[in-house]
Amino acid sequence: MSGPWVGAAVPVKEDVRLVAGRGRFIDDLGSPGMLHAAVLRSPHAHARIRSIDAGPARAHPGVTAVLTGSEAARLSGPIRPLIPTTAAVPDYCLAVDIVRYVGEPVAAVAAVDRATAEDALELIGVEYEPLPAVVDPRKAMRPGATLLYPELGTNVVWHDTLSYGDVDGAMARADGVLRESFTIQRYASTPLETFGAIAAYDPGTDGFEFWTNDQRPGLTISILAASLGVPQSRLRLSCPDIGGPSATSGARPTCSSARYSPAWRAGP
């Protein structure tokens, strides 16, 4: 493109392919024998998991596997946090012993189709012991506040100060200084596409293959390798088109797992 960029219409290189319906989104992908996963989520903001009865779900026709948090902890390592923490935090793909937010995954079901997996979720019995929840950030930082992660000893997960240039001088020379606290709504990106993933394990190569609508594959593959306890050389991560369903797929969300995957996660 010649000339200035600012204020100019810049064609998107994928436009022709997407407008023609030739996009490939996560819902367009699949393989023979693929199972569908559904996730049971916590109704509590903070609670102890007293017990999980997954027996009826495992016995439901069409169900291949049911995974709970304690089983996930035996099969995989914790999910590495995106920011450094002062102590290791016990976050796995499913909650182990404690749930820390409404909607946290507690159990997952893999079945022959989505409807069967969702039906099986209703057969899982979970006994919770509700714990105090602190939803005000200022109160959460006070001494004696309920801790989400006792290992950290605080609810302040990360703190830093970023300064550029002569901040004190700029403040001293300013005609006025405004000090105020601002409250904004919960941020969400208004996605056109729900998050989904497909995972497959190849016993022949002893490798894993993943497909997901992920915008940070370089970061994700290292987190997957650490959680599975395998080198990155045994993982392959592919990211198809991101942003919405294609003209051929419809707008149904996909939460799928390949048949032989020993560790699987599903989207909402």
Side-chain angles (χ1 to χ4, degrees):
M1 178 178 176
S2 60
W5 290 72
V6 177
V10 181
V12 180
K13 63 181 182 180
E14 299 93 348
D15 273 354
V16 174
R17 182 172 57 84
L18 295 177
V19 170
R22 295 197 296 269
R24 295 185 77 238
F25 297 86
I26 197 73
D27 198 37
D28 296 315
L29 307 180
S31 61
M34 186 175 72
L35 301 175
H36 292 256
V39 178
L40 182 67
R41 299 179 179 275
S42 167
H44 299 281
H46 193 202
R48 181 172 286 107
I49 301 174
R50 284 297 188 184
S51 64
I52 300 179
D53 181 8
R58 289 191 171 98
H60 188 64
V63 170
T64 297
V66 178
L67 191 68
T68 63
S70 59
E71 293 165 337
R74 291 198 299 268
L75 294 170
S76 63
I79 305 298
R80 191 178 65 201
L82 298 180
I83 57 177
T85 57
T86 57
V89 293
D91 272 339
Y92 292 82
C93 58
L94 298 171
V96 180
D97 298 330
I98 300 287
V99 293
R100 296 178 174 85
Y101 60 90
V102 173
E104 182 170 8
V106 174
V109 174
V112 293
D113 54 42
R114 177 179 172 179
T116 302
E118 291 177 346
D119 288 345
L121 289 185
E122 299 181 3
L123 302 177
I124 300 176
V126 184
E127 181 184 355
Y128 295 98
E129 177 190 342
L131 299 173
V134 181
V135 296
D136 185 300
R138 291 185 177 86
K139 292 180 180 179
M141 292 188 291
R142 293 175 183 172
T146 299
L147 298 179
L148 283 183
Y149 294 98
E151 299 85 353
L152 298 179
T154 176
N155 285 322
V156 180
V157 178
W158 179 70
H159 177 270
D160 204 349
T161 301
L162 305 176
S163 298
Y164 299 91
D166 182 12
V167 176
D168 293 335
M171 296 290 283
R173 295 189 300 270
D175 294 332
V177 177
L178 175 65
R179 289 182 172 86
E180 185 57 86
S181 296
F182 298 93
T183 301
I184 63 172
Q185 75 283 354
R186 179 181 180 272
Y187 172 76
S189 299
T190 318
L192 295 173
E193 176 188 28
T194 55
F195 187 83
I198 301 174
Y201 171 69
D202 186 341
T205 62
D206 195 23
F208 299 85
E209 189 162 10
F210 300 91
W211 297 263
T212 178
N213 47 344
D214 193 321
Q215 292 183 330
R216 298 177 297 180
L219 177 63
T220 298
I221 195 170
S222 64
I223 294 176
L224 284 171
S227 179
L228 293 173
V230 299
Q232 290 189 36
S233 59
R234 285 173 53 193
L235 271 64
R236 180 179 179 183
L237 176 63
S238 301
C239 298
D241 291 320
I242 297 175
S246 72
T248 60
S249 70
R252 61 190 188 279
T254 296
C255 311
S256 303
S257 168
R259 181 178 298 277
Y260 299 108
S261 175
W264 37 263
R265 299 184 69 183

